[in-house]
Amino acid sequence: MEAQKGGKRRLVLGIFAQVDAGKTTLSEALLYKTGALRTLGRVDHGDAHLDTHELERARGITIFSKQARFETEHLAVTLLDTPGHADFAPEAERVMPVIDCALLLVSGTDGVQGHTLTLWRLLQHYGVPVVLFFNKMDLPGADRAALLADARTALSDRCAALDDAESVALSSEALLEHFLNTGALDDALAADAVAKRELFPCLFGSARQLDGIDELLRALEHLAPVPVYPAELSARVYQIAHDPQGNRLTFLKVTGGTLGVKQLLAGEDWQEKADQLRLYSGSKFTLLQQAPAGTVCA
């Protein structure tokens, strides 16, 4: 497995939600709690870190997929923020083949809605492991037990509150055997169950109040899948865009080996060079000389 400098594992995390579930607010909270942002932006104030396009700021919704970066003690995370509005579902789907794990957000006051089901089926189609976060739990009408029962009925009976050890243990035979023998859960076995989509951990909180964010970050550290990459160079393109100067940007995830600046890339009837490698976070970027496997860059 390729490791991030400093021994940190690379995780590409996609965040998905029904519109108005608080997805951009949760993204801001993750960036703020890990020190990637000094101040919290707000969608209703038009200063969210990831809603960089003027249309997004004007309408108060995410329209285009973006990336941001943050680090925990053991993880170097590339966060791919996706649109929640059903009209922009293809924009959300295009990142699914390049993510290692999905963070699916559910509104605590609305529960599982129609577009949540659509996103769930797409993630199932691409075989993406999923962690669920039930947001807005500070608002009237947010009922934890009812929300969990709704998710187990509408999505999967493998949805389990992470603080309910017995429910988590029931998700896989290996976890259950260990739990019966020791009375405790094993992080490695739980992570394996998440990677195999046998377990869908559920956490609860309020992104606006920064409640439950620390628990979510710990869950990602302990349970997020650990990709293993081959030595041979390979990459997957998921988006083509242009910067404000009109330069064509090819967004990709390096899925094997290391991609270098000016490296010759060739197919049967074409060849190109990567003139620049840009590592984006919001609208800002840094230049790379090399992008190891697990890196998402332009």
Side-chain angles (χ1 to χ4, degrees), residues 244-265:
Q245 289 71 44
N247 297 307
R248 176 187 167 100
L249 300 174
T250 301
F251 285 86
L252 55 83
K253 177 186 180 182
V254 181
T255 55
T258 299
L259 176 63
V261 173
K262 303 299 183 182
Q263 184 171 344
L264 184 64
L265 307 172

Side-chain angles (χ1 to χ4, degrees), residues 120 128-132 156 158-161 194 197-202:
W120 180 265
V128 180
V130 181
V131 173
L132 292 98
S156 170
R158 301 295 181 95
C159 292
V194 172
R197 290 178 49 89
E198 296 174 341
L199 169 63
F200 302 104
C202 298

Side-chain angles (χ1 to χ4, degrees), residues 15 23-31 37 41-43 47-53 56-57 61-70 79-82 280-283:
I15 183 167
K23 179 178 51 56
T24 299
T25 304
L26 179 58
S27 299
E28 297 277 321
L30 290 169
L31 293 169
L37 287 182
R42 286 180 52 158
V43 176
D47 60 357
H49 177 68
L50 288 173
D51 285 345
T52 55
H53 197 281
E56 295 176 312
R57 294 188 183 275
I61 61 173
T62 301
I63 298 174
F64 307 103
S65 297
K66 325 262 199 336
Q67 81 179 66
R69 294 180 292 122
F70 65 86
L79 180 69
L80 296 183
D81 185 25
T82 65
Y280 272 90
S281 192
S283 59

Side-chain angles (χ1 to χ4, degrees), residues 101 120 123-124 127-132 152 155-162 165-177 186-202 223 225:
C101 185
W120 180 265
L123 291 166
Q124 184 178 38
V128 180
V130 181
V131 173
L132 292 98
R152 290 177 64 87
L155 304 179
S156 170
D157 60 5
R158 301 295 181 95
C159 292
L162 203 52
E166 290 188 17
S167 294
V168 172
L170 288 171
S171 63
S172 82
E173 290 185 11
L175 261 177
L176 182 58
E177 182 179 356
D186 179 82
D187 281 349
L189 292 175
D192 185 60
V194 172
K196 293 177 179 176
R197 290 178 49 89
E198 296 174 341
L199 169 63
F200 302 104
C202 298
L223 301 178

Side-chain angles (χ1 to χ4, degrees), residues 8 13 16 23 37 57 65 98 120 122 132 136 193 200 203 216 228 240 252 285 292:
K8 294 188 178 184
L13 179 70
F16 305 88
K23 179 178 51 56
L37 287 182
R57 294 188 183 275
S65 297
V98 301
W120 180 265
L122 287 169
L132 292 98
K136 303 186 179 182
F200 302 104
L203 298 100
L216 175 57
V228 177
I240 303 294
L252 55 83
F285 65 86

Side-chain angles (χ1 to χ4, degrees), residues 173-243:
E173 290 185 11
L175 261 177
L176 182 58
E177 182 179 356
H178 186 275
F179 182 73
L180 292 174
N181 288 334
T182 67
L185 295 173
D186 179 82
D187 281 349
L189 292 175
D192 185 60
V194 172
K196 293 177 179 176
R197 290 178 49 89
E198 296 174 341
L199 169 63
F200 302 104
C202 298
L203 298 100
F204 302 80
S206 168
R208 178 66 57 83
Q209 303 297 329
L210 298 179
D211 178 43
I213 305 304
D214 288 334
E215 291 80 2
L216 175 57
L217 288 167
R218 282 197 294 271
L220 292 174
E221 281 230 310
H222 292 294
L223 301 178
V226 181
V228 177
Y229 299 107
E232 184 178 356
L233 176 63
S234 60
R236 178 148 193 163
V237 174
Y238 69 92
Q239 187 178 25
I240 303 294
H242 292 83
D243 68 10

